[in-house]
């Protein structure tokens, strides 16, 4: 009898331990959450507090990412640090200057059987753009009008056919359709005339957001139809077109739209504002791009209009920020992770808010807001404090009736600049001083009505260009950012061969340039002055030797590429080696014989730089000849 009691107590004890085991937690991410200058070829790294079960990490389900312009991330997973670190290495670079959303679902498990919290985990970051001097040139004027006024108001720049060039999908109010302009993919930054037939939408279609709703790897769109009180869901087919729309009824006069994973199941749900209903609607995705009937909820403000999603209180869940036009306030709704939101204290914006955009404008690591305030003829920069609340509002006088607010690093200096669009005015670019203080830079004249702008890299030269939409003129102006004058040196295959650091002769590099793909491979190694007495290790390499590789694309005189560490594998043995992304490597060449290396190791935070020079000068004449040829063709 005593033994039975002891056995029963033991079972209860271990059951208690199991039931109260702590959830699996995210401890850190790379890129850092809300960062605004992540490398284009960055890996996405998540560190957990426990080893994860590898089987629970599934692409396009429990762990995935979406570039706002480049689309769904395709890549390979690897595991490090005894499976506490999961690395997603993308197959291709991100698009310069875009935002990226990472989604982790509650289906991720630890090896001890516990799971990530029910709410999942999400964060966003921005991709770095190349420095540019803000010299813009109109290289194309696209009409949206074939036989009748279309009234374009809203557009998405995204790679619709997986050719690594960004296309344009323009939303039209009067013709109630989506008109798609495919990128010519020839380095000019120009587009073909819109494809026929056009894609039907609802009456007065306008606000829109891209994502991958059915997780098939193709970009989809959600478009708000203001007069129909509906939202159109368009599922991409991967070749530049979309399936017929799914129409979902929401509240009266829907306006703003935001996309996020509300219930932690790893797919993207939708929230929208309803101005005349004075509330918001919630649409839950079933994982296949099919959405539930809308559920409405109130915010406590009046005239909900603008909307955007971001992690405002920095807890690994995306929240939503509402812009209420009638009460002239913005309000953060904190995501509780169970489909509900908690409203914080509203903040006055100083006008009738029409649109808001979120980003860290003062480089303090917290999300901020940039709003335009329609009939008030002004805009507001509102700084966040990392809790979901706001610390200050700066109001700026804008052109008459501003409708659109967009952020992006147009000059490539590591902060977010601001572009405003005004219906009775022009497009205006304001430069950021890195502290969230904006000054007038230049004006782009509108023929009739500057309605909205799209900031994206249309010609793949790594700086941000502009598509400026005039809804009365039925025109999209393609504005190419001329960048900074091409450097005198161009990377070419004449650089191939051995290089070394003259300051520390115990390390060297082997370079291989592949001009057809504009890619560079680097082997970075150390070698010992003294060898061991073992002839095998002398021939094959001592254990103290260190080899790293780096590979990726180059542009002009430099390459910013990922550092790879290879572990496992034996000489003359079939053991499989494992490649892990461990850092970032920038190599810049002054000429055919000299260069400079900068490096960062992700986990340790170790950074440094050193010069490099050639071991032998045999290839220098070929390098100089190729460089002169490349300069002539630029």
């Amino acid at each position: 009898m005593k033994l039975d009691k002891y056995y029963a107590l033991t079972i209860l004890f271990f059951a208690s331990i199991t039931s109260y085991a702590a959830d699996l937690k995210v401890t850190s991410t790379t890129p850092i959450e809300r960062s605004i200058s992540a490398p284009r070829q960055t890996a996405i790294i998540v560190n957990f507090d426990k080893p994860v079960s590898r089987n629970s990490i599934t692409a396009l389900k429990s762990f995935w990412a979406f570039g706002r312009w480049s689309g769904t991330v395709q890549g390979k997973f690897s595991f490090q640090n005894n499976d506490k670190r999961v690395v997603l290495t993308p197959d291709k670079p991100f698009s310069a200057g875009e935002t990226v959303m990472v989604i982790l679902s509650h289906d991720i498990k630890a090896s001890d059987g516990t799971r990530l919290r029910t709410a999942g985990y999400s964060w966003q970051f921005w991709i770095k753009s190349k420095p540019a001097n803000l010299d813009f040139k109109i290289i194309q004027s696209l009409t949206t009008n074939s036989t009748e006024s279309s009234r374009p108001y809203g557009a998405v720049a995204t790679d619709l056919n997986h050719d690594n060039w960004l296309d344009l999908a323009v939303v039209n109010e009067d013709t109630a359709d989506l008109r798609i302009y495919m990128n010519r993919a020839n380095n000019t930054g120009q587009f073909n005339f819109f494809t026929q037939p056009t894609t039907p939408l609802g009456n007065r279609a306008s606000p829109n957001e891209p994502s991958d709703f059915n997780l098939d790897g193709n970009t989809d769109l959600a478009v708000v139809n203001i007069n129909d009180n509906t939202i159109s869901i368009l599922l991409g087919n991967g070749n530049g077109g979309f399936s017929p729309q799914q129409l979902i009824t929401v509240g009266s006069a829907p306006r703003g739209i935001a996309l996020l994973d509300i219930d932690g199941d790893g797919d993207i749900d939708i929230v929208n504002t309803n101005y005349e209903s004075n509330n918001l609607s919630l649409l839950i995705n079933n994982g296949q791009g099919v959405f539930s009937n809308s559920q409405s909820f109130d915010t406590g403000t009046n005239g909900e209009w603008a909307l955007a999603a971001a992690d405002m209180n920095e807890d690994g869940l995306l929240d939503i920020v509402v812009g209420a036009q009638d009460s002239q306030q913005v309000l953060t709704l904190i995501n509780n992770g169970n489909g509900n939101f908690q409203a914080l204290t509203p903040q006055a914006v100083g006008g009738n808010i029409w649109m808001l955009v979120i980003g860290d404008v003062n480089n303090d690591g917290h999300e901020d807001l940039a709003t335009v305030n329609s009939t008030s003829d002004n805009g507001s920069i509102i700084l966040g404090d990392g809790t979901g609340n706001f610390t200050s509002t700066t109001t700026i006088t804008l052109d008459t009736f501003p409708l659109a607010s967009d952020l992006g690093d147009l000059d490539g200096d590591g902060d977010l600049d601001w572009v405003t669009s005004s219906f009775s005015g022009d497009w205006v670019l304001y430069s950021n001083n890195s502290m969230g203080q904006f000054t007038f830079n230049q004006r782009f004249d509108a023929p009739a009505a500057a309605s909205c702008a799209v900031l994206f890299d249309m010609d793949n030269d790594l700086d941000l260009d502009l598509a400026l939409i005039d809804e009365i003129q039925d025109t999209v102006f393609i504005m190419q950012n001329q960048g900074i004058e091409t450097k005198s040196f161009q990377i070419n295959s004449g650089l191939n061969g051995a290089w070394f650091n003259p300051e520390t002769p115990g390390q060297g590099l082997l370079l291989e340039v592949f001009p057809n793909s504009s890619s560079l491979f680097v082997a970075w190694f150390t070698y010992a002055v003294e060898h061991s007495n073992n002839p095998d290790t002398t021939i094959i390499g001592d254990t103290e030797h260190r080899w790293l590789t780096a590979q990726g694309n180059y542009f002009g005189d430099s390459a910013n590429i990922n550092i790879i560490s290879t572990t496992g594998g034996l000489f003359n043995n079939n053991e499989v080696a494992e490649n892990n992304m461990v850092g970032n490597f920038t190599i810049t060449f002054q000429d055919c014989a000299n260069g400079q290396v900068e490096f960062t190791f992700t986990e340790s935070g170790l950074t440094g730089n050193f010069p490099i020079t050639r071991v032998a000068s045999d290839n220098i004449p070929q390098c100089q000849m190729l460089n002169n040829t490349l300069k002539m063709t630029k």
Side-chain angles (χ1 to χ4, degrees), residues 64 66-72 156-160 162 169 178 201 208-223 232-239 241-244 246 257 259 267-268 270 285 287-291:
W64 66 288
F66 184 83
R68 180 174 174 80
W69 299 145
S70 59
T72 306
V156 171
T158 189
D159 183 5
L160 292 174
H162 302 290
L178 186 74
L201 295 170
N208 56 88
E209 286 290 334
S211 190
D212 185 354
F213 296 125
N214 59 349
L215 299 176
D216 65 350
N218 300 322
T219 296
D220 310 315
L221 294 180
V223 185
S232 295
I233 305 299
L234 302 176
L235 300 181
N237 58 22
N239 61 13
F242 295 90
S243 300
Q246 174 193 354
I257 184 170
L259 309 181
D267 56 44
I268 296 298
I270 298 174
N285 189 351
Q288 299 176 355
V290 178
F291 290 81

Side-chain angles (χ1 to χ4, degrees), residues 250-251 258 260 262 270-275 277-284 294-301 304 307 319-322 331-335 339-343:
V250 291
L260 65 159
I262 292 172
I270 298 174
V271 180
N272 73 275
T273 59
N274 303 300
Y275 176 66
S277 299
N278 206 35
N279 61 17
L280 274 63
S281 293
L282 171 62
L283 287 69
I284 298 297
S294 64
Q295 310 167 41
S296 63
F297 61 100
D298 296 322
T299 69
T301 56
E304 290 89 341
L307 194 66
D319 313 299
I320 52 177
V321 179
V322 181
L331 170 70
T332 300
L333 296 177
I334 297 297
N335 184 354
N340 295 313
F341 296 87
Q342 174 189 353

Side-chain angles (χ1 to χ4, degrees), residues 537-552:
T537 59
T538 300
I539 295 171
I540 299 172
D542 291 325
T543 56
E544 292 82 4
H545 293 178
R546 183 65 171 167
W547 280 78
L548 297 167
T549 59
Q551 58 191 53

Side-chain angles (χ1 to χ4, degrees), residues 3 41 109-110 227 289 294 345 349 364 366 381 395 408 426-427 436 517 620:
L3 180 61
Q41 293 179 282
K109 296 179 182 179
N227 287 0
S294 64
T345 303
V349 301
D364 66 350
H366 306 315
I381 301 299
T395 302
D426 301 313
W427 300 278
S517 59
I620 289 181

